[in-house]
Amino acid sequence: MNSFGSRLRYSTFGESHGVAIGCLLDGVPAGLKIDEAFIQSELDRRKPGKSEFETARKEDDKVEILSGTFEGYSTGTPIAMLIYNTNQKSKDYSNIKDIFRPGHADFTYFHKYGIRDYRGGGRSSARETAARVAAGAIAKLMLNELSIEVKSGISEVAGIKADIFDYESAKESIIYALDASKESAQKAAILKAKNSHDSVGGVSRIIIKNAPIGLGQPLYYKLDGVLADAMMGLNAVKAVEIGDGILSASIEGSQNNDEIRADGFKTNHSGGVLGGISNGEDIILNVYFKPTPSIFKEQETVTTTNKEVNFSLKGRHDPCVAIRGSIVCEAMAALVIADMLLLNMGSTMSGIKKYY
Ligand code: FMN
């Protein structure tokens, strides 16, 4: 299954070492100004090879819009976007042609489909996430028109946690660090892992500002449920928290409840969602990424014929996938919120009458 969303629905295609990747975004209302420079700038934030904290694979990730726009505006028809792969080095993968990388999707893809696209992991590679960022950029353009903002940053690397969440300083940081006072320790942890041929995990924190009350379609398309689905479906994500998340299970109701005053909620432990519906507060998520599975230390594994082997990987990999992953989380969050906005328009008879 390669599609996501309901009223705003996108599908992606392409493999890591194929000709191109891309997406088809359906449901964008006509008349949205399509700022191509903005879409490209979002892709540039995710693209690999920008620093020593990322994979050395250098991709321009230049996006081409093939359909769905006319004279700079959306036409209400499907928007197709294409990004060519230009920097594949399939030779890097020839030594793992028949070998399953521990922690990667090689093992399960092979056993499920019986075909092994060993070049960069094929469709299982996070190369596909560039297409999500292109679709998410269009969702962001929709949200901008309603003053809804989606921002992200890195709150944790290798267990080194941010104490403050400054989304403006995160924009200036090469690792999108939310807490400038923790940035150098977080960078050092990434480089230490990289230099010892290993990798580290991290946490991305997402904030959605100015979302109206009422987003989310209970019971089976709740806002928190769909956001969690969007994030968990992303490569290497192992947990998602909404608001205080895991902490909520170990505190008392009086500590967890957000008391309500005439001018709004006094606190925001809920992360802006109650009963699967946005409550007008900031929507907050923490997305937990595991360490990159492709590491260069010698490891034990088996071949496609189940022969036990020791191997050392070659190639180019992110030492901490949470960094670039954070930008993809933003895109996914924007797509979910835009979808929920469109769905919510049919929630009440009075709303429908207002439109017609
Ligand atoms: N895994 C690698 O082995 N090497 C990489 O360079 C790499 N880069 C990634 C970049 C991003 C932005 C993201 C989100 C993930 C990346 N991953 C990378 C993670 C793998 O794609 C992922 O762990 C793998 O497909 C197994 O899936 P799972 O971890 O979700 O179970």
Side-chain angles (χ1 to χ4, degrees):
M1 313 276 271
N2 294 282
S3 304
F4 188 84
S6 174
R7 196 37 204 80
L8 181 70
R9 188 167 181 78
Y10 77 90
S11 305
T12 71
F13 60 86
E15 294 83 28
S16 178
H17 288 215
V19 176
I21 54 168
C23 66
L24 185 72
L25 182 63
D26 198 5
V28 178
L32 176 71
K33 189 166 170 25
I34 302 295
D35 180 347
E36 289 191 37
F38 174 73
I39 302 171
Q40 189 58 56
S41 70
E42 288 292 281
L43 281 160
D44 290 347
R45 292 170 71 218
R46 193 220 71 107
K47 79 177 176 190
K50 301 187 297 299
S51 78
E52 58 189 329
F53 305 101
E54 300 172 350
T55 168
R57 177 172 174 172
K58 269 198 187 310
E59 284 286 359
D60 281 344
D61 281 354
K62 288 282 170 248
V63 64
E64 224 178 281
I65 299 181
L66 304 181
S67 68
T69 66
F70 182 66
E71 295 182 338
Y73 287 86
S74 60
T75 57
T77 59
I79 299 179
M81 290 183 278
L82 196 65
I83 301 160
Y84 285 100
N85 294 323
T86 57
N87 192 228
Q88 313 95 306
K89 286 194 182 167
S90 303
K91 232 176 103 234
D92 283 351
Y93 292 86
S94 49
N95 73 326
I96 58 152
K97 197 169 168 290
D98 304 309
I99 287 175
F100 302 127
R101 285 169 293 173
H104 213 288
D106 305 339
F107 181 89
T108 45
Y109 267 61
F110 179 74
H111 285 286
K112 180 175 174 67
Y113 297 109
I115 289 174
R116 176 119 164 87
D117 183 353
Y118 60 88
R119 309 157 314 155
R123 182 74 182 154
S124 76
S125 160
R127 177 92 194 109
E128 181 266 356
T129 61
R132 301 185 192 213
V133 171
I138 292 187
K140 278 192 176 181
L141 290 172
M142 274 176 71
L143 301 186
N144 281 348
E145 300 230 353
L146 302 166
S147 304
I148 301 171
E149 277 183 283
V150 182
K151 301 179 195 185
S152 81
I154 292 296
S155 64
E156 191 175 328
V157 168
I160 302 163
K161 293 184 185 175
D163 292 321
I164 53 166
F165 307 122
D166 181 344
Y167 293 90
E168 291 315 304
S169 87
K171 276 190 207 158
E172 307 304 318
S173 158
I174 195 79
I175 61 160
Y176 308 126
L178 284 163
D179 185 342
S181 71
K182 297 291 167 70
E183 182 175 353
S184 52
Q186 292 173 333
K187 280 179 172 169
I190 299 172
L191 292 184
K192 185 169 169 246
K194 184 178 169 180
N195 293 335
S196 53
H197 300 160
D198 217 325
S199 61
V200 287
V203 182
S204 164
R205 188 176 172 91
I206 323 295
I207 190 165
I208 302 156
K209 292 190 101 54
N210 302 327
I213 299 174
L215 302 186
Q217 301 296 115
L219 286 173
Y220 292 100
Y221 211 64
K222 288 181 173 180
L223 181 57
D224 43 1
V226 178
L227 281 170
D229 185 10
M231 302 303 156
M232 283 297 294
L234 180 56
N235 311 43
V237 172
K238 293 297 136 196
V240 180
E241 287 179 320
I242 311 285
D244 285 358
I246 289 166
L247 180 71
S248 316
S250 60
I251 57 175
E252 292 177 343
S254 55
Q255 295 170 295
N256 188 58
N257 289 347
D258 300 308
E259 291 183 288
I260 315 171
R261 302 281 74 205
D263 60 351
F265 292 87
K266 283 170 75 178
T267 50
N268 186 18
H269 300 295
S270 73
V273 189
L274 290 170
I277 302 171
S278 59
N279 66 2
E281 294 294 301
D282 291 343
I283 298 167
I284 296 168
L285 293 106
N286 290 305
V287 182
Y288 291 74
F289 288 86
K290 75 181 191 183
T292 319
S294 297
I295 54 174
F296 303 102
K297 282 193 162 160
E298 189 177 277
Q299 297 178 88
E300 293 179 342
T301 189
V302 293
T303 65
T304 47
T305 52
N306 211 33
K307 190 172 153 247
E308 290 181 354
V309 289
N310 283 18
F311 84 109
S312 297
L313 191 67
K314 294 194 182 81
R316 303 165 297 174
H317 296 278
D318 285 282
C320 177
V321 299
I323 314 291
R324 296 196 302 120
S326 192
I327 308 304
V328 191
C329 293
E330 261 183 54
M332 294 305 293
L335 284 159
V336 170
I337 298 297
D339 190 22
M340 292 294 184
L341 284 163
L342 295 172
L343 282 166
N344 188 40
M345 289 169 69
S347 291
T348 62
M349 207 52 226
S350 59
I352 292 170
K353 279 185 184 161
K354 220 184 276 172
Y355 181 79
Y356 287 104

